[in-house]
Amino acid sequence: PLALPIIIIGMFATFYFVNPMIVHYPIRCFWKLLTGTQCSACGFQRALHALSHGKISEALSYNYFLVFSVPLA
């Protein structure tokens, strides 16, 4: 029962301390690699980093869906 909250907190802490604009994660969007177009999750890492620092307008510019779905989650 504690695994999911620990994973969520760990993910949030990772994106708080590591800027995805500088450090490139091995996680790449397969849709963008195959088609060259952005999917609905593109900008997720940058938006989560901006949102964790309280930069809501910057997070909105990266990914609208994430900003509205995080409070619902």
Side-chain angles (χ1 to χ4, degrees), residues 2-25:
L2 294 177
L4 186 61
I6 290 172
I7 291 170
I8 292 172
I9 290 169
M11 186 178 78
F12 188 77
T14 300
F15 285 113
Y16 182 82
F17 292 111
V18 180
N19 187 352
M21 295 291 285
I22 298 170
V23 177
H24 297 286
Y25 292 105

Side-chain angles (χ1 to χ4, degrees), residues 29 31-32 37-47 62-64:
C29 179
W31 180 262
K32 190 168 185 174
T37 61
Q38 292 187 355
C39 68
S40 61
C42 282
F44 170 80
Q45 296 173 353
R46 293 172 292 176
Y62 291 132
N63 190 324
Y64 288 110

Side-chain angles (χ1 to χ4, degrees), residues 36-68:
T37 61
Q38 292 187 355
C39 68
S40 61
C42 282
F44 170 80
Q45 296 173 353
R46 293 172 292 176
L48 190 58
H49 177 74
L51 195 60
S52 68
H53 286 277
K55 300 176 183 175
I56 297 172
S57 62
E58 186 178 337
L60 279 170
S61 70
Y62 291 132
N63 190 324
Y64 288 110
F65 179 72
L66 176 77
V67 175
F68 293 115

